[in-house]
Amino acid sequence: MVEKEYKFLVDRLPNEKYDDKIYIVQYYFDVKDCTKILNNYLNVKTAQLNDVNSVRLRIARKKDGVKYILNAKSNGLFSRQEYECEISKEQSNNLLNNIYTIGKIEKIRYVFFRYGYNFEFDLYKNKNLTICEIEVNNGNNYNEIVQILTKKFNLSVKEVTFDERYKNYNLVMEKRYEWNKRHYKMVLL
């Protein structure tokens, strides 16, 4: 499946009731160690292996239960190939016990279903960072999304769709990002 997604740094959550709340822990693996995982679980063909640049296990906890989701993504920023499947808790534990993880991210995702879009606001633990992601079918709705974020939600935003530093895979590295509506900076720890 092809994922098309805009990303924005935001100064806060919208001042309205969210529709869903998900506690997420994502473990990232070294792609070189994941050939069997990509073939067996995600059906990534041999010809596509070189384009995969991140493999992760997401543990998503909601009030109705926990899901274990294995995911791989290709290179790219706005548009990327995505491979994904749900696995069992046992399979998840097996992966975590047998494959080296390069790091993990913890975040709380607040989802707002508004104006025909799913606005996913991620608050990252220990990073003083809030990012809003919006998946779209095409790239023709950028201005509409910005208007919703700034006028309807009344947020200050900075688009970071094409800034690789804000890919979750890159956020795994020990860096902390700080941002407010006046400026943003990256602080190496």
Side-chain angles (χ1 to χ4, degrees), residues 3 5 7 26 28 31 38 42 44 49 51-56 58 71-76 80-84 133 135 167-168:
E3 172 192 63
E5 176 178 82
K7 280 188 178 197
Q26 293 179 172
Y28 286 84
V31 174
L38 293 169
L42 297 171
V44 177
L49 288 175
D51 196 37
V52 171
N53 98 326
S54 72
V55 179
R56 74 168 185 228
R58 172 183 284 171
N71 176 289
K73 292 188 180 185
S74 70
N75 291 306
R80 298 165 47 159
Q81 187 66 37
E82 182 176 43
Y83 309 91
E84 189 169 272
E133 298 178 350
E135 285 192 32
K167 282 181 165 181
N168 283 310

Side-chain angles (χ1 to χ4, degrees), residues 145-159:
I145 289 169
V146 171
Q147 287 295 313
I148 293 168
L149 288 170
T150 59
K151 303 296 184 209
K152 306 261 188 206
F153 286 143
N154 198 28
L155 302 174
S156 294
V157 303
K158 174 176 179 47
E159 192 209 355

Side-chain angles (χ1 to χ4, degrees), residues 49-188:
L49 288 175
N50 288 336
D51 196 37
V52 171
N53 98 326
S54 72
V55 179
R56 74 168 185 228
L57 170 65
R58 172 183 284 171
I59 301 171
R61 187 176 308 326
K62 295 168 56 169
K63 56 183 159 183
D64 62 348
V66 178
K67 288 188 178 184
Y68 303 87
I69 302 163
L70 187 59
N71 176 289
K73 292 188 180 185
S74 70
N75 291 306
L77 296 168
F78 171 70
S79 179
R80 298 165 47 159
Q81 187 66 37
E82 182 176 43
Y83 309 91
E84 189 169 272
C85 73
E86 189 171 344
I87 62 174
S88 70
K89 180 178 182 178
E90 293 74 25
Q91 290 169 315
S92 168
N93 288 337
N94 185 44
L95 292 175
L96 291 173
N97 289 328
N98 292 298
I99 299 177
Y100 174 73
T101 58
I102 60 171
K104 74 176 183 178
I105 282 185
E106 296 180 61
K107 59 187 178 180
I108 301 173
R109 173 169 285 173
Y110 295 89
V111 182
F112 295 81
F113 305 114
R114 303 286 193 283
Y115 314 106
Y117 300 100
N118 293 344
F119 293 88
E120 299 175 339
F121 290 84
D122 292 340
L123 277 69
Y124 290 82
K125 183 178 179 182
N126 301 325
K127 293 200 182 289
N128 190 27
L129 182 68
T130 304
I131 293 179
C132 178
E133 298 178 350
I134 307 99
E135 285 192 32
V136 296
N137 293 327
N138 58 53
N140 299 332
N141 33 17
Y142 175 81
N143 290 331
E144 179 183 17
I145 289 169
V146 171
Q147 287 295 313
I148 293 168
L149 288 170
T150 59
K151 303 296 184 209
K152 306 261 188 206
F153 286 143
N154 198 28
L155 302 174
S156 294
V157 303
K158 174 176 179 47
E159 192 209 355
V160 293
T161 303
F162 299 99
D163 189 337
E164 288 208 16
R165 295 178 298 173
Y166 294 97
K167 282 181 165 181
N168 283 310
Y169 178 79
N170 293 330
L171 290 172
V172 165
M173 305 311 159
E174 289 302 314
K175 298 174 185 169
R176 187 179 76 223
Y177 296 82
E178 295 181 352
W179 184 79
N180 64 37
K181 57 187 166 186
R182 291 194 180 89
H183 68 282
Y184 80 100
K185 62 183 176 178
M186 181 175 68
V187 180
L188 295 177

